[in-house]
Amino acid sequence: MKRRIAVAATLAATLLGAAGCGSSGGSGTTPNANASVNGAGKTIKVWLMVDAQSGWSDVVKQANDRFTQATGAQVQVDYQQWTDHLAKLDTTLAGSEVPDVVELGNTEMPKYVFNGAFAPLDKGQFENSGQWLTGLSAPCELDGKTYCVPYYAGARVLAYNTEMFSKAGLNVPKTYDDVVAAAKSLKEKNGSDKQFSAFHMPGKYWYAAMAWVKGSGGDIARKNGDKWVGALSEPASQQGLTKWSELARTYFSGDPTKDETDQAAIFAQGKTAMMYANGWEVGAAQEQPKDPNKPEAGKVKTKVSGKVASVAMPGIPSFLGGSDLAVTAKSANADLAAKWVQIFTDTKSQEGLIAKSALPNATNLLDKAAAMKGNEATAQAAKETWFVPMAPKWSEVESANVLQNMLVAIASGKSTVADATKDADEKINKILNAA
């Protein structure tokens, strides 16, 4: 694949300014994580998302301590919010004072890789790199070079209310037909309650809907020569969306225009039998914050505490979400930055993440994850996953809500699958092929 540089205004400044900055990727060199560097008196700046602060701050600390012991350098970790981190990053990269290491979601990474915001890395210097999860490593690869390192992953699973299943005489679903049959039976037994959902599936939940597309052999978009072509209107994709819409429209009683962000809290109310959930949502449904505005206030048990289990969703591949870590092209401490990434993503750090119910960055560590109570389903689901198209402008498709709008039109009955997918393909083609 030839490298295309479609430079946004903010990133243009990044590329123009990168060449004269230290020993960074901007000067054509590759940061050396194994270099013998005396970092005494130096401090590298690391941008991590707030998940690390709330979920595994001890893992961050042990990596920082090992890094300082190895190099003499210190680490300043600045935690970012998902709501504004991209706008903040764009503004920062256009200047001269940049973070040395940046975490991005795996679907956010391609834009910055294509636009030259990050330095190339020596893949062989990072532990388990031969077994990295494809869903995390794919956004890092371009023209045979590696521009980021997989950090951690999360897979989606089928979460279900064990009490409801037991009362209905249902077994754990082993096939997709079992899932639908269970939903039908549960609706028949609980349908008099207008708030009851046999399967929670809001319309804007595109990570779920696209899994149904992939499970039917369809796709979102694919490369055809030098052009990207939307594939949602193809028969296999329509088949998957039809299955998804039948589930959403028949067994979900909520608002079809909503997304999935509050589904754990909704499941916690005890009115839902099944949901397609992130692994962490299985626990979140059973313990909710005592005060959402005061995390320090602790958590309380919910109506479904002890009544939620999960399995890999039968017949549906999981979207492998997660994050990657990159060294900025303008970093003045690129070797030190690469060393920190090397330590923070090695087996010791990955085992720390596994203990926090996160999935590791490599397939050879999935069995360790599966051995942890609560991780069995997500580790199994991570073995069959899918990822978004590796297109330079994919993030613009996401920000334009192309998939969400298509799905709401289908779930609400305002449009047929055929008409909605045709419209979505046209929008995808326009965005992905824009000059």
Side-chain angles (χ1 to χ4, degrees), residues 169-318:
L170 297 170
N171 296 318
V172 178
K174 294 182 179 180
T175 68
Y176 185 75
D177 287 342
D178 289 344
V179 173
V180 176
K184 181 179 179 180
S185 176
L186 289 161
K187 182 178 180 180
E188 290 173 351
K189 293 181 180 298
N190 300 277
S192 60
D193 185 345
K194 300 304 180 182
Q195 293 181 309
F196 176 80
S197 286
F199 204 113
H200 184 87
M201 186 58 71
K204 288 185 178 179
Y205 195 178
W206 71 271
Y207 291 119
M210 294 306 103
W212 264 249
V213 167
K214 291 286 186 174
S216 294
D219 212 340
I220 302 172
R222 62 175 61 90
K223 196 76 175 291
N224 185 4
D226 291 333
K227 295 287 186 181
W228 282 93
V229 179
L232 291 168
S233 57
E234 295 178 357
S237 298
Q238 290 197 31
Q239 179 184 356
L241 284 171
T242 298
K243 288 174 63 176
W244 170 83
S245 65
E246 288 172 349
L247 191 73
R249 297 186 65 180
T250 306
Y251 301 109
F252 174 54
S253 63
D255 184 353
T257 68
K258 288 185 62 177
D259 62 22
E260 74 282 8
T261 53
D262 61 352
Q263 67 176 11
I266 292 174
F267 200 91
Q269 297 170 10
K271 297 283 189 177
T272 304
M274 291 181 280
M275 65 175 174
Y276 186 58
N278 288 288
W280 61 265
E281 289 177 308
V282 176
Q286 300 178 76
E287 284 190 338
Q288 290 285 308
K290 185 179 296 183
D291 184 344
N293 298 316
K294 296 179 179 180
E296 67 277 7
K299 297 180 179 180
V300 294
K301 301 292 185 180
T302 71
K303 292 181 179 179
V304 300
S305 292
K307 303 175 184 177
V308 186
S310 62
V311 293
M313 182 71 183
I316 303 296
S318 175

